[in-house]
Amino acid sequence: MTKNFNLDQYIDRIASEVKHYPKEPMYYLRINQLNCVYQVLVNDRLVDENYSLSQYATAIGINSSILKSGPQKITYRLYPIGDLIKEEYGEGETVTTLLDNTEITIEVIRVDDINTYKSIVDDEKLILRHESKNDKNTDKFVGSGLPYYEYTFTFDAQVPYEIEGWTNAIDLRKLDQEKLELAVVNHYKKMQQLYKANDAASIMTMEYPMFRRVAITEYRDRTYIKEMVQELYEPIQIPNKDYQPIIDYKVEYFGDGRVICLWHPSIFEKPDLDPRLSRESSFYYIYLTEDNKRRARFQGILLSIPKDKHKKGEFNFEYAR
């Protein structure tokens, strides 16, 4: 069915939906942590995770998680460092709870117009700086001794666009969880068959809302859209994909329960898990490169059920927008 899919027309259609404005603001997060690993979500959509001791200075763009102007929710989840110190230095103990000197700092940054952006000094504005809290009495991190700590705060964003995104979907947490999980697994298996058949037309049609959201919220031009689309399109053509069983997964929700996916847990949650699978999608395959090397490719499959397609007892999934 690949021959029935016109890639250029697909890219042109996405590009035609992008509007441009006198000013095109972009928002970013700059994250620094100490003695923990983390996930950070914007409006309950995962935007960054770090399961190493490394710190990243590069700011992370978050416009694709901002659907309209107004309050935006940032949530961070902190986990203990486990065996990372032992792996890094060859000694030390396994850390199973958050330490007294655990820290995370998140800066929310705005660039007023990405088209005229020149430098950090001239163009970036600090909207908010959040620092994790210490207990007033002990001066220790408030989550010290816990196996997990979560905190949410908000900031205000002003953007010139407004899109529906994943908000027009039902709260999947309210459905029968056993039946829902089984339906998601079966849907993943159906997606495996589409990928095995190199059915680009069906796959790219389902991915369209995601590409559209990213392109609109980031004001992208055709060149970028083409590169973004080809990152997904080209792997569809890989021959003889060997899909692995959908096992050892955990169900995860995003978008305030409107989005569901199956991911492998982290090695911090399941120490006996193959570390190569840690926090990767349960939807993946093994393939051979041109030089005959075995590689794995993980494909995130995030699903939702639009309100206008929901019927009791049915699971009419769409790719999350």
Side-chain angles (χ1 to χ4, degrees):
M1 293 186 67
T2 298
K3 62 183 180 181
N4 298 323
F5 177 73
N6 189 307
L7 182 62
D8 286 331
Q9 288 181 0
Y10 184 87
I11 294 168
D12 286 341
R13 183 184 169 197
I14 297 172
S16 71
E17 297 207 51
V18 178
K19 296 180 180 180
H20 291 285
Y21 308 90
K23 287 189 176 182
E24 297 181 341
M26 291 288 290
Y27 288 86
Y28 301 87
L29 299 183
R30 185 170 285 117
I31 304 166
N32 287 287
Q33 91 286 0
L34 179 66
N35 292 320
C36 63
V37 297
Y38 66 79
Q39 297 175 342
V40 174
L41 303 93
V42 175
N43 294 323
D44 207 33
R45 178 177 175 269
L46 187 66
V47 297
D48 189 38
E49 53 188 347
N50 183 0
Y51 297 101
S52 72
L53 298 178
S54 302
Q55 294 190 355
Y56 305 125
T58 304
I60 302 157
I62 59 171
N63 269 48
S64 62
S65 294
I66 298 175
L67 303 181
K68 62 181 181 179
S69 294
Q72 315 295 325
K73 180 174 66 173
I74 296 178
T75 301
Y76 57 83
R77 300 168 177 169
L78 307 184
Y79 303 90
I81 55 178
D83 291 323
L84 290 179
I85 293 179
K86 286 200 292 186
E87 293 170 2
E88 183 79 14
Y89 301 107
E91 58 183 7
E93 299 179 352
T94 299
V95 180
T96 59
T97 58
L98 293 164
L99 300 174
D100 294 346
N101 56 348
T102 297
E103 295 178 12
I104 189 169
T105 300
I106 300 177
E107 293 181 342
V108 182
I109 299 163
R110 172 185 164 106
V111 172
D112 283 340
D113 188 359
I114 194 61
N115 298 299
T116 60
Y117 176 81
K118 294 179 181 179
S119 71
I120 295 175
V121 175
D122 294 335
D123 298 315
E124 290 190 1
K125 296 181 179 178
L126 180 62
I127 301 299
L128 182 149
R129 176 184 171 88
H130 172 84
E131 297 180 356
S132 54
K133 294 179 172 56
N134 285 354
D135 186 277
K136 294 179 180 179
N137 297 320
T138 65
D139 201 33
K140 298 177 181 179
F141 172 58
V142 292
S144 176
L146 298 177
Y148 164 81
Y149 177 80
E150 179 174 314
Y151 188 82
T152 296
F153 63 96
T154 61
F155 75 97
D156 189 74
Q158 296 298 317
V159 292
Y161 58 80
E162 181 172 339
I163 61 175
E164 190 173 66
W166 58 88
T167 58
N168 184 35
I170 66 169
D171 186 343
L172 298 168
R173 296 169 299 186
K174 297 180 180 179
L175 302 182
D176 183 304
Q177 294 301 288
E178 290 187 8
K179 292 181 180 179
L180 175 64
E181 180 178 332
L182 178 60
V184 173
V185 171
N186 287 336
H187 192 88
Y188 271 41
K189 291 178 180 178
K190 291 178 183 178
M191 292 303 303
Q192 287 180 345
Q193 296 307 311
L194 293 179
Y195 271 86
K196 286 180 179 179
N198 301 334
D199 189 349
S202 296
I203 295 168
M204 299 303 285
T205 296
M206 288 185 284
E207 292 281 7
Y208 185 88
M210 181 273 293
F211 286 129
R212 175 181 181 272
R213 171 173 53 81
V214 174
I216 289 174
T217 58
E218 297 182 355
Y219 325 104
R220 294 298 187 175
D221 60 17
R222 191 183 189 281
T223 299
Y224 181 91
I225 292 170
K226 181 177 181 180
E227 294 175 354
M228 176 175 64
V229 168
Q230 285 181 324
E231 284 186 8
L232 178 67
Y233 176 73
E234 291 177 357
I236 296 174
Q237 318 306 316
I238 294 174
N240 302 317
K241 295 182 281 289
D242 181 15
Y243 273 91
Q244 303 302 295
I246 302 172
I247 56 176
D248 295 329
Y249 61 80
K250 62 179 293 189
V251 175
E252 291 208 23
Y253 290 101
F254 297 104
D256 295 317
R258 297 181 178 92
V259 178
I260 191 171
C261 62
L262 305 179
W263 289 83
H264 292 107
S266 73
I267 56 173
F268 301 98
E269 299 168 286
K270 191 175 182 182
D272 61 340
L273 182 74
D274 184 335
R276 295 172 295 181
L277 301 179
S278 179
R279 289 301 302 164
E280 295 284 2
S281 174
S282 295
F283 187 89
Y284 75 106
Y285 56 86
I286 307 297
Y287 67 99
L288 293 178
T289 64
E290 292 181 356
D291 54 356
N292 213 37
K293 293 182 179 179
R294 283 170 57 87
R295 294 287 186 268
R297 181 176 178 87
F298 298 86
Q299 180 65 47
I301 305 291
L302 283 76
L303 304 173
S304 63
I305 300 178
K307 294 177 181 177
D308 57 356
K309 293 190 176 182
H310 175 53
K311 295 181 180 179
K312 189 174 181 179
E314 298 182 10
F315 296 95
N316 299 310
F317 293 117
E318 288 190 358
Y319 271 29
R321 298 169 184 267

